[in-house]
Amino acid sequence: MKKLLVLIFSIFLVTCTVNADDTLTRDYDGVEVPAGSFIPVLALQDFSTAYSDSTNELKFVCYNDVYEFETVIIPKGTVFYGYIEKKNEPVIGTHASMMVRITKLVFQDGFTIPVVGYIHTPNGNIIGGEMTMPAVWDKQPHYHKRIARHFVGVQQYVPGSHRKMGEHVTVASGANLLIVLMQPLYITHTLY
């Protein structure tokens, strides 16, 4: 009888500890953030086509929690690291340009996940690269048709054939930027 009571008590004790461990876990299997998702970040240092290159490590911090439904998948304060992948110097007619590639994210507790993404711009993720202002303006007549088939002309300035020299592009520290993911991001770690 003693052996039977010890067996029942041990089974009860084992099931209580197993159930207690189950209540502490979150049933968190990981989250896949799809490609094309945007993550809002702040630049932690300024970088430019004039003095930065691919050897400089760039840091960006996520200033808001990123949610998927009610789950925080990227908490506030997560740091993203990247570098300048491609840089073009300024030339006559075009400003300098650069592409910033994001390579990893680091949670506040030090856990690191690799990322494939870029700093997003409407210009195909290229920062800068706009056309410069014209160096000269030419006069050209512009005719309007009026009543009774009479044409009235006015002088109008149009851009000439020469453009100004391009300038370097600088992104200031604290600038609001967006990271766009090129490949899905698998979040297998959480702080909560």
Side-chain angles (χ1 to χ4, degrees):
M1 187 70 177
K2 262 185 179 182
K3 290 183 182 181
L4 182 62
L5 286 173
V6 169
L7 180 67
I8 291 173
F9 182 71
S10 63
I11 290 173
F12 176 74
L13 188 62
V14 168
T15 57
C16 287
T17 59
V18 169
N19 288 339
D21 289 341
D22 285 343
T23 58
L24 294 177
T25 59
R26 287 182 54 188
D27 294 332
Y28 187 79
D29 295 330
V31 175
E32 178 183 339
V33 182
S37 298
F38 293 105
I39 301 168
V41 293
L42 285 174
L44 290 180
Q45 79 270 10
D46 59 338
F47 53 96
S48 174
T49 55
Y51 51 83
S52 300
D53 58 5
S54 61
T55 61
N56 296 96
E57 186 174 59
L58 305 176
K59 291 182 183 179
F60 307 93
V61 66
C62 185
Y63 58 87
N64 280 336
D65 290 333
V66 177
Y67 289 89
E68 182 172 307
F69 303 110
E70 288 120 17
T71 305
V72 176
I73 53 175
I74 300 175
K76 179 180 179 180
T78 302
V79 178
F80 289 84
Y81 291 89
Y83 65 95
I84 297 175
E85 183 180 58
K86 183 179 179 184
K87 179 171 83 167
N88 295 326
E89 294 294 327
V91 294
I92 295 175
T94 307
H95 293 296
S97 64
M98 60 183 157
M99 289 182 72
V100 177
R101 183 181 176 120
I102 305 300
T103 56
K104 65 181 176 179
L105 69 89
V106 179
F107 290 109
Q108 291 175 347
D109 62 351
F111 190 78
T112 303
I113 298 176
V115 178
V116 178
Y118 288 94
I119 296 297
H120 175 71
T121 62
N123 191 17
N125 301 332
I126 297 173
I127 300 170
E130 295 90 8
M131 187 180 277
T132 61
M133 293 295 292
V136 295
W137 294 85
D138 296 333
K139 285 184 183 179
Q140 182 177 7
H142 182 73
Y143 296 103
H144 291 283
K145 186 175 179 182
R146 288 261 173 128
I147 302 172
R149 296 189 187 131
H150 296 317
F151 289 94
V152 177
V154 295
Q155 288 290 336
Q156 177 178 2
Y157 284 100
V158 294
S161 58
H162 300 290
R163 295 258 174 197
K164 293 182 180 179
M165 180 64 183
E167 297 176 357
H168 286 283
V169 176
T170 301
V171 176
S173 176
N176 285 328
L177 302 169
L178 287 174
I179 293 175
V180 61
L181 299 178
M182 293 294 143
Q183 292 182 356
L185 175 62
Y186 299 100
I187 306 290
T188 58
H189 180 74
T190 183
L191 297 177
Y192 301 107

